[in-house]
Amino acid sequence: MEFPDSRQLCVLLKKFSEGKGCISKEFISEGELVALSSLGIIYRTITHKEVCVRSLIPLALKVLELGVDPQEVSTYLSWRDFEALILDYLVRFGYKAFRGVRFTSRRLEVDVLGIDEINALGLAIDCKHWMPGYRKAGKLREAAAKHREKVVRLSEECRALLPKYHPIVRARYYVPVVVTLTETIKGLVKGSLIVPVRVMRDFIVNLRYYIDVFQDVALIPNKCYESRK
């Protein structure tokens, strides 16, 4: 059996996306079904007419590993899938990661919170799955400013989060990050780091470099930080 290459897998991802998680049996071979199973794809149903998967994320991650443009891959995902993709990115790089962290009596929410215990940093991420062609830089600047305010509130109210998210005590600082699908603007904007998904992997791998560059204005002290010493 010939294993599907990156473009074949990307086509399958696109078709599953268009079918909201399902694809007609005429568009997928038995060999591809076996290959997808070997990637950890969990099928919801397989009938004589169609194949449905529980999640697009394992397939999306494999396609990314094979070098397909993260922006292209992300266009095939819903905003919920986009958040799950960012969460899995962090987990793969050793973060303790959480999705949908709510506080202030559940009125505020951080889409994804990742704790890097080695570097004592927390990435508080707002995911903006705005499709290509969205060019309202002003709207993104506004979102960046609001996200920073939200992360400041997260630090102030961290005690209430400890029972459910205890690893946050290992983050000395929070870094407010807005991950975008497009590259309208990037860098430090209104106190938050705007990171296009295309460079998300590089951002995580070289986080210390980015922190050294922007630490004077980007870092927010975590009021619940507990040193291991």
Side-chain angles (χ1 to χ4, degrees), residues 126 128 130-146 178 180 182-194:
D126 188 24
K128 293 300 183 191
W130 293 339
M131 299 303 290
Y134 191 96
R135 300 299 181 195
K136 294 185 178 179
K139 189 74 172 177
L140 190 52
R141 291 189 179 94
E142 179 183 343
K146 288 183 177 179
V178 179
T180 63
T182 60
E183 295 194 38
T184 303
I185 52 177
K186 57 185 177 182
L188 183 66
V189 177
K190 298 293 185 179
S192 293
L193 291 176
I194 297 184

Side-chain angles (χ1 to χ4, degrees), residues 133-209:
Y134 191 96
R135 300 299 181 195
K136 294 185 178 179
K139 189 74 172 177
L140 190 52
R141 291 189 179 94
E142 179 183 343
K146 288 183 177 179
H147 183 56
R148 183 176 181 85
E149 293 174 0
K150 186 191 303 181
V151 179
V152 170
R153 184 71 66 85
L154 171 70
S155 174
E156 293 172 346
E157 302 182 10
C158 60
R159 293 293 174 192
L161 296 173
L162 292 182
K164 189 172 183 180
Y165 307 105
H166 191 264
I168 66 176
V169 300
R170 299 306 180 196
R172 186 170 187 173
Y173 297 100
Y174 288 120
V175 184
V177 179
V178 179
V179 177
T180 63
L181 179 59
T182 60
E183 295 194 38
T184 303
I185 52 177
K186 57 185 177 182
L188 183 66
V189 177
K190 298 293 185 179
S192 293
L193 291 176
I194 297 184
V195 181
V197 69
R198 188 191 301 272
V199 297
M200 185 65 186
R201 184 182 185 280
D202 175 76
F203 175 72
I204 296 174
V205 170
N206 298 297
L207 181 60
R208 287 306 320 179
Y209 165 77

Side-chain angles (χ1 to χ4, degrees), residues 117 120 168-172 222 224-229:
E117 295 183 313
I168 66 176
V169 300
R170 299 306 180 196
R172 186 170 187 173
N222 175 16
C224 286
Y225 172 65
E226 296 179 6
S227 173
R228 289 185 182 274
K229 296 180 180 179

Side-chain angles (χ1 to χ4, degrees), residues 93-104:
F93 281 93
Y95 282 70
K96 299 290 179 61
F98 309 95
R99 184 177 172 189
V101 178
R102 295 184 179 183
F103 49 102
T104 311

Side-chain angles (χ1 to χ4, degrees), residues 7 48 62 67 76 92 104-105 108 110 128 149 154 160-161 167 180 218:
R7 296 314 309 175
H48 67 286
K62 183 60 181 180
Y76 304 139
R92 287 190 171 213
T104 311
S105 300
L108 295 177
V110 168
K128 293 300 183 191
E149 293 174 0
L154 171 70
L161 296 173
T180 63

Side-chain angles (χ1 to χ4, degrees), residues 205-225:
V205 170
N206 298 297
L207 181 60
R208 287 306 320 179
Y209 165 77
Y210 290 102
I211 295 306
D212 289 343
V213 173
F214 298 113
Q215 63 180 341
D216 291 340
V217 285
L219 299 183
I220 297 173
N222 175 16
K223 294 188 176 181
C224 286
Y225 172 65

